[in-house]
Amino acid sequence: MGSHAAPHHHKRMLVTAASLLLVGGGLLGLPRADGAPAPADACRTTAAHLPRGDCGPFWQVLAEDFNGDRVPLGSFSDCEHDVDTSAAHCGGLKGKYRDNWWAYPTGWPDTAADRGRQVVGVYHPEDTVSVGPAANGDGRMSIRMWRPADGGPVHAAAVVPRAVMQMKYGKYSARIKVTKLAPGYKSAWLHYGGGCEMDHPEGEWTGSLSSFHHPCGGGEQGWFPGSDDWTRWHTVSTEWTPGHVRFFVDGRQTGHDTRDVPDLPLSWVLQNESALEGPGAAPGSSAQLDITWVAAYAYGWK
């Protein structure tokens, strides 16, 4: 993994004509112009329940539904160990969560700090990340970001599944919902490094859910809209294979690019932070994203 803040501006440009052809008419999961349905993801991952098992060229290396677990606030602490490596860990975690999860350490600035935003964020996993049952009993990882009433920086969170740190290619899926909405908060779940970046999902939580591809060799980014509403449950997936990156929302392909796709090991960062567009978070405000399951797969030739 490279730095702890995403290195690119995400300007909402239309993709190039070539990239539009690569999308194949799959934007928003609608049928293509030739009448064929948009491609489904390799695992046909649309259900509310955690998918288990291998599919297509992908073999599962992580399957977490958070059921039966409680990781209280304060546990994602002491995360400065072996940062940005597959040995990274949080000393405050125990058992399988210590084995399977890491978070950007307390005190690292978020992306807004590099952009001259009036309201910026600082990563504080110890008071933003927890695991436990929702009111209906469903186990969830909750990311509750907030801004102090005195107007200080937003408390942000970026969590990293250790099983897929520094992995080349793969499939990355999760089921997510913004359960508490407020202006000034966003997500940018990404793979980046070596001048390359793939972001899915990304967007201010009060706006649209999109994906972006920044080709390794530079040039115009690909922008692919996926949904207009973060406050509904969505299954999001990225499939990264040699020469291809594909983005899916609720099992339907929303974007596909082949321009300078990364061919080096990268980590999957579930990055949540202060907004880069629109109003900043108000003092005393908070917003929350819930994750009901996470699944990740390595890629292998078959």
Side-chain angles (χ1 to χ4, degrees):
M1 209 158 58
S3 84
H4 51 270
H8 296 293
H9 289 279
H10 293 145
K11 299 176 183 176
R12 297 196 170 183
M13 306 180 210
L14 293 177
V15 293
T16 63
S19 296
L20 284 171
L21 290 173
L22 288 169
V23 174
L27 296 178
L28 300 176
L30 298 176
R32 300 191 322 218
D34 61 7
D41 77 282
C43 300
R44 302 189 180 276
T45 311
T46 59
H49 301 293
L50 172 69
R52 293 188 182 274
D54 305 338
C55 51
F58 301 105
W59 51 280
Q60 194 169 56
V61 295
L62 174 67
E64 177 58 72
D65 63 8
F66 307 110
N67 287 333
D69 299 326
R70 290 184 182 271
V71 181
L73 286 176
S75 300
F76 275 83
S77 59
D78 188 24
C79 298
E80 294 83 4
H81 303 279
D82 300 308
V83 300
D84 286 352
T85 74
S86 58
H89 64 278
C90 297
L93 292 175
K94 299 178 181 179
K96 71 172 186 176
Y97 280 90
R98 182 172 176 147
D99 293 339
N100 292 339
W101 293 92
W102 178 60
Y104 281 4
T106 299
W108 282 12
D110 75 0
T111 310
D114 293 336
R115 306 292 167 83
R117 291 276 294 180
Q118 184 175 5
V119 178
V120 302
V122 173
Y123 291 109
H124 279 277
E126 78 286 353
D127 61 21
T128 54
V129 184
S130 62
V131 175
N136 65 357
D138 178 41
R140 300 177 186 176
M141 176 179 278
S142 295
I143 311 292
R144 179 186 175 272
M145 296 190 289
W146 54 283
R147 189 178 180 203
D150 64 6
V154 167
H155 286 220
V159 291
V160 183
R162 292 186 61 204
V164 290
M165 289 185 76
Q166 294 298 308
M167 189 169 79
K168 184 176 177 180
Y169 308 130
K171 176 179 171 61
Y172 308 86
S173 301
R175 189 159 178 85
I176 63 172
K177 178 182 179 179
V178 170
T179 54
K180 185 178 189 299
L181 191 65
Y185 301 90
K186 70 165 292 186
S187 289
W189 291 18
L190 74 164
H191 292 81
Y192 75 97
C196 314
E197 185 174 346
M198 303 174 292
D199 308 87
H200 181 58
E202 178 172 5
E204 275 65 32
W205 289 352
T206 52
S208 60
L209 183 156
S210 301
S211 52
F212 295 83
H213 175 231
H214 303 270
C216 298
E220 188 176 18
Q221 70 181 2
W223 166 51
F224 308 98
S227 172
D228 290 333
D229 190 354
W230 285 82
T231 63
R232 299 185 179 211
W233 283 109
H234 292 295
T235 299
V236 293
S237 296
T238 298
E239 292 182 2
W240 171 30
T241 57
H244 296 267
V245 58
R246 294 178 172 88
F247 304 111
F248 298 85
V249 176
D250 300 326
R252 306 292 289 173
Q253 182 173 292
T254 57
H256 175 201
D257 210 341
T258 61
R259 299 170 301 139
D260 288 322
V261 175
D263 63 354
L264 70 162
L266 299 172
S267 296
W268 187 31
V269 182
L270 283 53
Q271 181 175 267
N272 311 279
E273 54 187 5
S274 59
L276 299 182
E277 298 179 356
S285 69
S286 66
Q288 181 167 316
L289 175 78
D290 283 358
I291 308 168
T292 190
W293 56 255
V294 175
Y297 308 74
Y299 173 80
W301 296 99
K302 291 187 178 182

